[in-house]
């Protein structure tokens, strides 16, 4: 199986580099696999939903035709698309303004940026919104998140995750790929990495959702803006000059992120792009790995949407219950997303 061979190769190469070297590449490749797998799981969720007819916030966003999307302000060009939970409106990549979200625990803004990978001339020319930012960089996309917490939280309990709504039975092959990539990720992220395929529907009582969760320092950049000061706009062309970045200073960066006191008052800005060169979201394909890619995410699995979430877990690290059950989670951010080229179709609902 091609994907499995790729994974094995990646981790072999990564472990040869040793602990001391920050194998950014390992991390990136592991994460992309996690995303691949996430997409995998998602796809079957779509099917299951269709079968059970369960209506969810994410599905209710996609009961529209092409013209409806345009009238909801979506660009004509291919783009990354999605929606928050609780739902307010549709969002899209490369917007001139960031999108506001607000829930009972946190409010803020979200701005996804994506290279126009559907048009390689445009991609190379840099003549598109945010093109200047991408020029000279390898990243294919960047997610920018501004958070204003409404309650203080203990970072030990905080997770940044990709999650699914329902359990999906996995083939033996998919399971092996997942075990390999999770093992590789754990070498880099350590105990703070949490992965679960979720609980099958036969399990009595509350069931856990399929999840891959990581600590906060998996974000590539953060900016803390003290209360009373104006945080940089997510659309700021010079945003990259603010705050701290992980690149080239992993240990120090981790220490700084771990010691952030996440509380009401300051504004916290986080940017994420580390895995982006391995995953073209607009084209919905894995990329950037010689010989093996491009690889259609749907080939193995992927039907959208993916859910990007930030939550705390009650009693993390204590007690009998280790599962990330919904009843233990407090969400601070939730966003489902997909490519406008591969919208969840009506048939898949
Ligand atoms: C877009 O540009 C990036 C960075 O130069 C490159 O890695 C990627 O392959 C390009 N994609 C396309 C479709 O041209
Ligand atoms: C955060 O939680 C951990 C364990 O869950 C605990 O050991 C630590 O003291 C807590 N920190 C604060 C600041 O409450």
């Amino acid at each position: 199986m091609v994907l499995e061979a790729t994974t094995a190769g990646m981790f072999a190469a990564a472990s040869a580099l040793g602990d001391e070297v920050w194998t950014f590449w390992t991390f990136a490749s592991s994460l992309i696999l996690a995303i691949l797998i996430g997409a995998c799981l998602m796809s079957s969720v779509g099917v299951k939903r269709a079968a059970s007819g369960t209506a969810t916030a994410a599905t209710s966003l996609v009961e529209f035709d092409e013209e409806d999307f345009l009238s909801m302000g979506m660009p004509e060009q291919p783009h990354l698309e999605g929606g928050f939970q609780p739902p307010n409106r549709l969002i899209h990549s490369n917007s001139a303004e960031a999108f506001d979200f607000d829930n009972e625990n946190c409010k803020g803004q979200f701005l996804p940026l994506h290279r126009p990978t559907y048009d390689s001339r445009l991609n190379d020319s840099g003549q598109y919104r945010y093109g200047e930012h991408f020029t000279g960089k390898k990243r294919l996309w960047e997610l920018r998140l501004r958070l204003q917490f409404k309650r203080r939280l203990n970072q030990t309990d905080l997770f940044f995750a990709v999650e699914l709504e329902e359990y999906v039975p996995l083939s033996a092959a998919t399971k092996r790929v997942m075990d390999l990539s999770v093992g590789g990720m754990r070498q880099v992220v350590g105990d703070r990495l949490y992965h679960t395929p979720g609980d099958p529907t036969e399990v009595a009582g509350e069931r856990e959702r399929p999840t891959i969760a990581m600590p906060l320092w998996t974000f590539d950049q953060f900016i803390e803006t003290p209360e009373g000061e104006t945080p940089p706009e997510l659309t700021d062309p010079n945003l990259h000059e603010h705050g701290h970045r992980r690149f080239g200073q992993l240990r120090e960066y981790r220490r700084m992120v771990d010691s952030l006191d996440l509380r009401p008052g300051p504004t916290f800005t986080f940017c994420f792009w580390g895995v982006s060169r391995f995953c073209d979201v607009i084209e919905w394909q894995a990329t950037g790995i010689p010989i093996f890619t491009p690889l259609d995410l749907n080939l193995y699995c992927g039907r959208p949407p993916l859910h990007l979430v930030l939550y705390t877990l009650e009693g993390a690290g204590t007690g009998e219950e280790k599962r990330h059950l919904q009843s233990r989670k407090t969400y601070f951010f939730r966003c489902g997303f997909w490519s406008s080229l591969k919208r969840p179709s009506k048939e898949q609902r």
Side-chain angles (χ1 to χ4, degrees), residues 5 61 127 150 175 202 224 284 286 324 342:
L61 282 167
Q127 302 298 308
K150 297 186 184 177
K175 246 183 207 136
E202 304 87 77
E224 179 175 3
W284 206 247
H324 287 207
K342 306 259 166 133

Side-chain angles (χ1 to χ4, degrees), residues 98 109 111 144 146 230-239 242 269:
Q109 295 188 326
L111 180 72
R144 297 177 171 179
R146 175 194 280 184
T230 311
E233 292 298 327
L234 297 185
T235 52
D236 186 342
N238 297 317
L239 190 72
H242 294 256
T269 305

Side-chain angles (χ1 to χ4, degrees), residues 23-45:
T23 51
F24 180 69
W25 185 77
T26 327
F27 185 53
S29 40
S30 324
L31 270 180
I32 177 57
L33 281 157
I35 287 172
L36 268 164
I37 291 157
C40 225
L41 298 170
M42 283 304 179
S43 71
S44 330
V45 169

